[in-house]
mmCIF file of all heavy atoms in Angstrom:
data_model
loop_
_atom_site.group_PDB
_atom_site.id
_atom_site.type_symbol
_atom_site.label_atom_id
_atom_site.label_comp_id
_atom_site.label_asym_id
_atom_site.label_seq_id
_atom_site.Cartn_x
_atom_site.Cartn_y
_atom_site.Cartn_z
ATOM 1 N N PRO A 1 -2.014 7.174 -5.443
ATOM 2 C CA PRO A 1 -2.225 6.435 -6.693
ATOM 3 C C PRO A 1 -2.486 7.337 -7.886
ATOM 4 O O PRO A 1 -2.069 7.022 -9.012
ATOM 5 C CB PRO A 1 -3.437 5.554 -6.372
ATOM 6 C CG PRO A 1 -3.465 5.440 -4.886
ATOM 7 C CD PRO A 1 -2.918 6.732 -4.365
ATOM 8 N N ASP A 2 -3.177 8.467 -7.683
ATOM 9 C CA ASP A 2 -3.498 9.361 -8.791
ATOM 10 C C ASP A 2 -2.319 10.242 -9.203
ATOM 11 O O ASP A 2 -2.440 11.018 -10.162
ATOM 12 C CB ASP A 2 -4.691 10.256 -8.411
ATOM 13 C CG ASP A 2 -5.961 9.452 -8.201
ATOM 14 O OD1 ASP A 2 -6.050 8.342 -8.764
ATOM 15 O OD2 ASP A 2 -6.852 9.925 -7.464
ATOM 16 N N ALA A 3 -1.204 10.133 -8.494
ATOM 17 C CA ALA A 3 -0.050 10.972 -8.814
ATOM 18 C C ALA A 3 0.780 10.407 -9.965
ATOM 19 O O ALA A 3 1.750 11.036 -10.383
ATOM 20 C CB ALA A 3 0.830 11.135 -7.575
ATOM 21 N N TYR A 4 0.401 9.233 -10.483
ATOM 22 C CA TYR A 4 1.171 8.608 -11.554
ATOM 23 C C TYR A 4 0.260 8.233 -12.721
ATOM 24 O O TYR A 4 -0.909 7.861 -12.524
ATOM 25 C CB TYR A 4 1.879 7.342 -11.043
ATOM 26 C CG TYR A 4 2.950 7.632 -10.026
ATOM 27 C CD1 TYR A 4 2.651 7.607 -8.661
ATOM 28 C CD2 TYR A 4 4.250 7.946 -10.410
ATOM 29 C CE1 TYR A 4 3.627 7.879 -7.713
ATOM 30 C CE2 TYR A 4 5.232 8.217 -9.472
ATOM 31 C CZ TYR A 4 4.915 8.182 -8.129
ATOM 32 O OH TYR A 4 5.881 8.459 -7.197
ATOM 33 N N ARG A 5 0.817 8.337 -13.920
ATOM 34 C CA ARG A 5 0.135 7.887 -15.130
ATOM 35 C C ARG A 5 0.883 6.669 -15.660
ATOM 36 O O ARG A 5 2.044 6.752 -16.038
ATOM 37 C CB ARG A 5 0.115 8.983 -16.195
ATOM 38 C CG ARG A 5 -0.567 8.565 -17.493
ATOM 39 C CD ARG A 5 -0.690 9.747 -18.451
ATOM 40 N NE ARG A 5 -1.420 9.354 -19.652
ATOM 41 C CZ ARG A 5 -0.852 9.195 -20.847
ATOM 42 N NH1 ARG A 5 0.456 9.400 -20.991
ATOM 43 N NH2 ARG A 5 -1.577 8.834 -21.887
ATOM 44 N N ALA A 6 0.206 5.513 -15.666
ATOM 45 C CA ALA A 6 0.817 4.280 -16.131
ATOM 46 C C ALA A 6 0.887 4.281 -17.651
ATOM 47 O O ALA A 6 -0.120 4.483 -18.333
ATOM 48 C CB ALA A 6 0.026 3.078 -15.636
ATOM 49 N N THR A 7 2.086 4.054 -18.196
ATOM 50 C CA THR A 7 2.289 4.034 -19.636
ATOM 51 C C THR A 7 3.125 2.815 -20.018
ATOM 52 O O THR A 7 3.863 2.263 -19.198
ATOM 53 C CB THR A 7 3.012 5.308 -20.124
ATOM 54 O OG1 THR A 7 4.297 5.381 -19.502
ATOM 55 C CG2 THR A 7 2.216 6.552 -19.767
ATOM 56 N N GLU A 8 3.038 2.410 -21.276
ATOM 57 C CA GLU A 8 3.770 1.250 -21.755
ATOM 58 C C GLU A 8 5.206 1.632 -22.119
ATOM 59 O O GLU A 8 5.436 2.638 -22.785
ATOM 60 C CB GLU A 8 3.090 0.668 -23.001
ATOM 61 C CG GLU A 8 1.677 0.144 -22.770
ATOM 62 C CD GLU A 8 1.654 -1.222 -22.089
ATOM 63 O OE1 GLU A 8 2.732 -1.689 -21.646
ATOM 64 O OE2 GLU A 8 0.569 -1.809 -22.001
ATOM 65 N N LEU A 9 6.164 0.809 -21.674
ATOM 66 C CA LEU A 9 7.516 0.954 -22.192
ATOM 67 C C LEU A 9 7.564 0.493 -23.646
ATOM 68 O O LEU A 9 8.241 1.076 -24.483
ATOM 69 C CB LEU A 9 8.503 0.138 -21.350
ATOM 70 C CG LEU A 9 9.954 0.164 -21.826
ATOM 71 C CD1 LEU A 9 10.548 1.558 -21.716
ATOM 72 C CD2 LEU A 9 10.805 -0.832 -21.040
ATOM 73 N N VAL A 10 6.820 -0.586 -23.939
ATOM 74 C CA VAL A 10 6.718 -1.118 -25.297
ATOM 75 C C VAL A 10 5.318 -0.798 -25.810
ATOM 76 O O VAL A 10 4.347 -1.416 -25.391
ATOM 77 C CB VAL A 10 6.969 -2.637 -25.326
ATOM 78 C CG1 VAL A 10 6.861 -3.175 -26.753
ATOM 79 C CG2 VAL A 10 8.329 -2.964 -24.730
ATOM 80 N N PRO A 11 5.159 0.172 -26.698
ATOM 81 C CA PRO A 11 3.818 0.552 -27.161
ATOM 82 C C PRO A 11 3.208 -0.522 -28.056
ATOM 83 O O PRO A 11 3.886 -1.448 -28.502
ATOM 84 C CB PRO A 11 4.076 1.843 -27.954
ATOM 85 C CG PRO A 11 5.494 1.726 -28.399
ATOM 86 C CD PRO A 11 6.218 0.974 -27.322
ATOM 87 N N GLY A 12 1.889 -0.383 -28.285
ATOM 88 C CA GLY A 12 1.213 -1.292 -29.203
ATOM 89 C C GLY A 12 0.237 -2.236 -28.543
ATOM 90 O O GLY A 12 -0.500 -2.948 -29.240
ATOM 91 N N GLN A 13 0.208 -2.283 -27.195
ATOM 92 C CA GLN A 13 -0.754 -3.150 -26.528
ATOM 93 C C GLN A 13 -2.144 -2.515 -26.598
ATOM 94 O O GLN A 13 -2.284 -1.311 -26.510
ATOM 95 C CB GLN A 13 -0.352 -3.377 -25.070
ATOM 96 C CG GLN A 13 1.126 -3.635 -24.844
ATOM 97 C CD GLN A 13 1.641 -4.836 -25.592
ATOM 98 O OE1 GLN A 13 0.906 -5.780 -25.836
ATOM 99 N NE2 GLN A 13 2.903 -4.804 -25.977
ATOM 100 N N ALA A 14 -3.170 -3.344 -26.736
ATOM 101 C CA ALA A 14 -4.535 -2.840 -26.854
ATOM 102 C C ALA A 14 -5.484 -3.753 -26.088
ATOM 103 O O ALA A 14 -5.162 -4.901 -25.773
ATOM 104 C CB ALA A 14 -4.950 -2.745 -28.323
ATOM 105 N N GLY A 15 -6.682 -3.214 -25.793
ATOM 106 C CA GLY A 15 -7.698 -3.997 -25.099
ATOM 107 C C GLY A 15 -7.510 -3.993 -23.600
ATOM 108 O O GLY A 15 -6.580 -3.400 -23.057
ATOM 109 N N ARG A 16 -8.390 -4.666 -22.912
ATOM 110 C CA ARG A 16 -8.345 -4.729 -21.454
ATOM 111 C C ARG A 16 -7.522 -5.913 -20.951
ATOM 112 O O ARG A 16 -6.999 -5.891 -19.852
ATOM 113 C CB ARG A 16 -9.768 -4.831 -20.893
ATOM 114 C CG ARG A 16 -10.620 -3.599 -21.160
ATOM 115 C CD ARG A 16 -10.110 -2.386 -20.424
ATOM 116 N NE ARG A 16 -10.103 -2.571 -18.982
ATOM 117 C CZ ARG A 16 -9.527 -1.744 -18.116
ATOM 118 N NH1 ARG A 16 -8.861 -0.687 -18.556
ATOM 119 N NH2 ARG A 16 -9.592 -1.962 -16.823
ATOM 120 N N THR A 17 -7.441 -6.990 -21.759
ATOM 121 C CA THR A 17 -6.699 -8.184 -21.357
ATOM 122 C C THR A 17 -5.373 -8.237 -22.099
ATOM 123 O O THR A 17 -5.337 -8.134 -23.326
ATOM 124 C CB THR A 17 -7.508 -9.454 -21.657
ATOM 125 O OG1 THR A 17 -8.755 -9.400 -20.950
ATOM 126 C CG2 THR A 17 -6.743 -10.699 -21.212
ATOM 127 N N TYR A 18 -4.314 -8.403 -21.358
ATOM 128 C CA TYR A 18 -2.976 -8.386 -21.955
ATOM 129 C C TYR A 18 -2.727 -9.663 -22.738
ATOM 130 O O TYR A 18 -2.885 -10.777 -22.225
ATOM 131 C CB TYR A 18 -1.915 -8.236 -20.870
ATOM 132 C CG TYR A 18 -0.505 -8.152 -21.418
ATOM 133 C CD1 TYR A 18 -0.012 -6.955 -21.904
ATOM 134 C CD2 TYR A 18 0.313 -9.281 -21.458
ATOM 135 C CE1 TYR A 18 1.279 -6.867 -22.424
ATOM 136 C CE2 TYR A 18 1.603 -9.204 -21.967
ATOM 137 C CZ TYR A 18 2.074 -8.000 -22.451
ATOM 138 O OH TYR A 18 3.340 -7.921 -22.972
ATOM 139 N N THR A 19 -2.314 -9.515 -23.998
ATOM 140 C CA THR A 19 -1.967 -10.646 -24.856
ATOM 141 C C THR A 19 -0.623 -10.422 -25.546
ATOM 142 O O THR A 19 -0.320 -11.067 -26.550
ATOM 143 C CB THR A 19 -3.053 -10.877 -25.919
ATOM 144 O OG1 THR A 19 -3.216 -9.677 -26.689
ATOM 145 C CG2 THR A 19 -4.382 -11.253 -25.277
ATOM 146 N N GLY A 20 0.170 -9.502 -25.020
ATOM 147 C CA GLY A 20 1.439 -9.154 -25.647
ATOM 148 C C GLY A 20 2.567 -10.088 -25.266
ATOM 149 O O GLY A 20 2.342 -11.189 -24.740
ATOM 150 N N PRO A 21 3.820 -9.669 -25.494
ATOM 151 C CA PRO A 21 4.993 -10.510 -25.206
ATOM 152 C C PRO A 21 5.068 -10.894 -23.733
ATOM 153 O O PRO A 21 4.872 -10.059 -22.848
ATOM 154 C CB PRO A 21 6.171 -9.623 -25.603
ATOM 155 C CG PRO A 21 5.612 -8.624 -26.561
ATOM 156 C CD PRO A 21 4.206 -8.379 -26.119
ATOM 157 N N GLU A 22 5.366 -12.161 -23.481
ATOM 158 C CA GLU A 22 5.461 -12.670 -22.107
ATOM 159 C C GLU A 22 6.925 -12.687 -21.679
ATOM 160 O O GLU A 22 7.557 -13.729 -21.574
ATOM 161 C CB GLU A 22 4.837 -14.070 -22.030
ATOM 162 C CG GLU A 22 3.341 -14.070 -22.295
ATOM 163 C CD GLU A 22 2.770 -15.474 -22.388
ATOM 164 O OE1 GLU A 22 3.281 -16.283 -23.185
ATOM 165 O OE2 GLU A 22 1.800 -15.763 -21.660
ATOM 166 N N TRP A 23 7.444 -11.486 -21.413
ATOM 167 C CA TRP A 23 8.816 -11.381 -20.933
ATOM 168 C C TRP A 23 8.857 -11.717 -19.444
ATOM 169 O O TRP A 23 7.879 -11.495 -18.701
ATOM 170 C CB TRP A 23 9.343 -9.970 -21.153
ATOM 171 C CG TRP A 23 9.478 -9.587 -22.598
ATOM 172 C CD1 TRP A 23 9.301 -10.387 -23.688
ATOM 173 C CD2 TRP A 23 9.824 -8.294 -23.103
ATOM 174 N NE1 TRP A 23 9.513 -9.683 -24.845
ATOM 175 C CE2 TRP A 23 9.843 -8.398 -24.520
ATOM 176 C CE3 TRP A 23 10.122 -7.069 -22.519
ATOM 177 C CZ2 TRP A 23 10.144 -7.309 -25.339
ATOM 178 C CZ3 TRP A 23 10.432 -5.988 -23.336
ATOM 179 C CH2 TRP A 23 10.445 -6.114 -24.733
ATOM 180 N N ASN A 24 9.995 -12.229 -19.018
ATOM 181 C CA ASN A 24 10.209 -12.556 -17.604
ATOM 182 C C ASN A 24 11.468 -11.832 -17.139
ATOM 183 O O ASN A 24 12.561 -12.392 -17.125
ATOM 184 C CB ASN A 24 10.322 -14.075 -17.440
ATOM 185 C CG ASN A 24 9.059 -14.792 -17.876
ATOM 186 O OD1 ASN A 24 8.011 -14.647 -17.262
ATOM 187 N ND2 ASN A 24 9.145 -15.563 -18.956
ATOM 188 N N SER A 25 11.266 -10.564 -16.764
ATOM 189 C CA SER A 25 12.384 -9.643 -16.514
ATOM 190 C C SER A 25 12.791 -9.656 -15.051
ATOM 191 O O SER A 25 11.938 -9.610 -14.165
ATOM 192 C CB SER A 25 11.990 -8.222 -16.925
ATOM 193 O OG SER A 25 11.483 -8.202 -18.250
ATOM 194 N N ASN A 26 14.099 -9.689 -14.808
ATOM 195 C CA ASN A 26 14.609 -9.729 -13.440
ATOM 196 C C ASN A 26 15.646 -8.668 -13.122
ATOM 197 O O ASN A 26 16.116 -8.587 -11.984
ATOM 198 C CB ASN A 26 15.205 -11.093 -13.129
ATOM 199 C CG ASN A 26 14.304 -11.958 -12.283
ATOM 200 O OD1 ASN A 26 13.897 -13.020 -12.701
ATOM 201 N ND2 ASN A 26 13.957 -11.496 -11.086
ATOM 202 N N ALA A 27 16.062 -7.869 -14.098
ATOM 203 C CA ALA A 27 17.108 -6.887 -13.815
ATOM 204 C C ALA A 27 16.997 -5.718 -14.778
ATOM 205 O O ALA A 27 16.639 -5.892 -15.947
ATOM 206 C CB ALA A 27 18.493 -7.520 -13.939
ATOM 207 N N VAL A 28 17.287 -4.527 -14.271
ATOM 208 C CA VAL A 28 17.401 -3.345 -15.121
ATOM 209 C C VAL A 28 18.639 -2.569 -14.707
ATOM 210 O O VAL A 28 19.126 -2.685 -13.582
ATOM 211 C CB VAL A 28 16.161 -2.416 -15.033
ATOM 212 C CG1 VAL A 28 14.890 -3.151 -15.405
ATOM 213 C CG2 VAL A 28 16.049 -1.775 -13.657
ATOM 214 N N ALA A 29 19.146 -1.793 -15.639
ATOM 215 C CA ALA A 29 20.169 -0.788 -15.353
ATOM 216 C C ALA A 29 19.792 0.451 -16.142
ATOM 217 O O ALA A 29 19.491 0.359 -17.346
ATOM 218 C CB ALA A 29 21.555 -1.279 -15.730
ATOM 219 N N ILE A 30 19.778 1.589 -15.479
ATOM 220 C CA ILE A 30 19.377 2.846 -16.108
ATOM 221 C C ILE A 30 20.601 3.735 -16.209
ATOM 222 O O ILE A 30 21.257 4.036 -15.207
ATOM 223 C CB ILE A 30 18.265 3.528 -15.282
ATOM 224 C CG1 ILE A 30 17.031 2.622 -15.236
ATOM 225 C CG2 ILE A 30 17.914 4.891 -15.859
ATOM 226 C CD1 ILE A 30 15.998 3.045 -14.212
ATOM 227 N N ALA A 31 20.940 4.145 -17.438
ATOM 228 C CA ALA A 31 22.139 4.950 -17.676
ATOM 229 C C ALA A 31 22.041 5.549 -19.073
ATOM 230 O O ALA A 31 21.249 5.102 -19.910
ATOM 231 C CB ALA A 31 23.401 4.101 -17.547
ATOM 232 N N ASP A 32 22.860 6.554 -19.328
ATOM 233 C CA ASP A 32 22.951 7.145 -20.669
ATOM 234 C C ASP A 32 23.955 6.320 -21.466
ATOM 235 O O ASP A 32 25.119 6.671 -21.591
ATOM 236 C CB ASP A 32 23.390 8.609 -20.559
ATOM 237 C CG ASP A 32 23.538 9.280 -21.923
ATOM 238 O OD1 ASP A 32 23.150 8.675 -22.945
ATOM 239 O OD2 ASP A 32 24.063 10.407 -21.962
ATOM 240 N N PHE A 33 23.485 5.217 -22.041
ATOM 241 C CA PHE A 33 24.399 4.271 -22.673
ATOM 242 C C PHE A 33 25.015 4.809 -23.963
ATOM 243 O O PHE A 33 26.151 4.473 -24.288
ATOM 244 C CB PHE A 33 23.676 2.953 -22.952
ATOM 245 C CG PHE A 33 23.379 2.154 -21.716
ATOM 246 C CD1 PHE A 33 22.071 1.943 -21.299
ATOM 247 C CD2 PHE A 33 24.409 1.614 -20.953
ATOM 248 C CE1 PHE A 33 21.797 1.207 -20.160
ATOM 249 C CE2 PHE A 33 24.138 0.879 -19.810
ATOM 250 C CZ PHE A 33 22.828 0.681 -19.406
ATOM 251 N N ASP A 34 24.275 5.635 -24.727
ATOM 252 C CA ASP A 34 24.820 6.094 -26.006
ATOM 253 C C ASP A 34 25.430 7.492 -25.930
ATOM 254 O O ASP A 34 25.903 8.015 -26.938
ATOM 255 C CB ASP A 34 23.768 6.033 -27.105
ATOM 256 C CG ASP A 34 22.630 7.028 -26.891
ATOM 257 O OD1 ASP A 34 22.465 7.517 -25.752
ATOM 258 O OD2 ASP A 34 21.911 7.311 -27.862
ATOM 259 N N GLY A 35 25.432 8.117 -24.757
ATOM 260 C CA GLY A 35 26.107 9.396 -24.581
ATOM 261 C C GLY A 35 25.425 10.568 -25.246
ATOM 262 O O GLY A 35 26.097 11.543 -25.612
ATOM 263 N N ASP A 36 24.091 10.529 -25.360
ATOM 264 C CA ASP A 36 23.378 11.654 -25.978
ATOM 265 C C ASP A 36 22.779 12.610 -24.958
ATOM 266 O O ASP A 36 22.077 13.553 -25.316
ATOM 267 C CB ASP A 36 22.289 11.149 -26.923
ATOM 268 C CG ASP A 36 21.149 10.426 -26.193
ATOM 269 O OD1 ASP A 36 21.288 10.164 -24.973
ATOM 270 O OD2 ASP A 36 20.138 10.114 -26.847
ATOM 271 N N GLY A 37 23.027 12.364 -23.660
ATOM 272 C CA GLY A 37 22.525 13.251 -22.618
ATOM 273 C C GLY A 37 21.191 12.840 -22.035
ATOM 274 O O GLY A 37 20.632 13.579 -21.215
ATOM 275 N N HIS A 38 20.668 11.668 -22.417
ATOM 276 C CA HIS A 38 19.369 11.200 -21.929
ATOM 277 C C HIS A 38 19.503 9.758 -21.429
ATOM 278 O O HIS A 38 20.269 8.961 -21.979
ATOM 279 C CB HIS A 38 18.323 11.283 -23.038
ATOM 280 C CG HIS A 38 18.208 12.640 -23.658
ATOM 281 N ND1 HIS A 38 17.504 13.673 -23.069
ATOM 282 C CD2 HIS A 38 18.735 13.140 -24.804
ATOM 283 C CE1 HIS A 38 17.594 14.748 -23.843
ATOM 284 N NE2 HIS A 38 18.339 14.449 -24.897
ATOM 285 N N ASP A 39 18.714 9.414 -20.416
ATOM 286 C CA ASP A 39 18.829 8.110 -19.768
ATOM 287 C C ASP A 39 18.147 7.016 -20.594
ATOM 288 O O ASP A 39 16.991 7.159 -21.007
ATOM 289 C CB ASP A 39 18.205 8.151 -18.375
ATOM 290 C CG ASP A 39 18.953 9.076 -17.430
ATOM 291 O OD1 ASP A 39 20.119 9.385 -17.723
ATOM 292 O OD2 ASP A 39 18.364 9.491 -16.412
#
């Protein structure tokens, strides 16, 4: 568990209780979509 640092994909959340956007995500694709050499 200590081998990872949890970080936000969408920054700006604050406090201990989450009150941010309630997304309901079911799929991802990871790729270099814009061709700049980064995923």
Side-chain angles (χ1 to χ4, degrees):
D2 295 336
Y4 293 93
R5 179 174 184 252
T7 61
E8 297 282 9
L9 178 65
V10 180
Q13 317 301 330
R16 295 294 300 170
T17 301
Y18 182 81
T19 58
E22 294 173 306
W23 294 354
N24 299 294
S25 308
N26 257 119
V28 302
I30 298 167
D32 179 9
F33 289 114
D34 67 342
D36 67 351
H38 306 280
D39 295 341

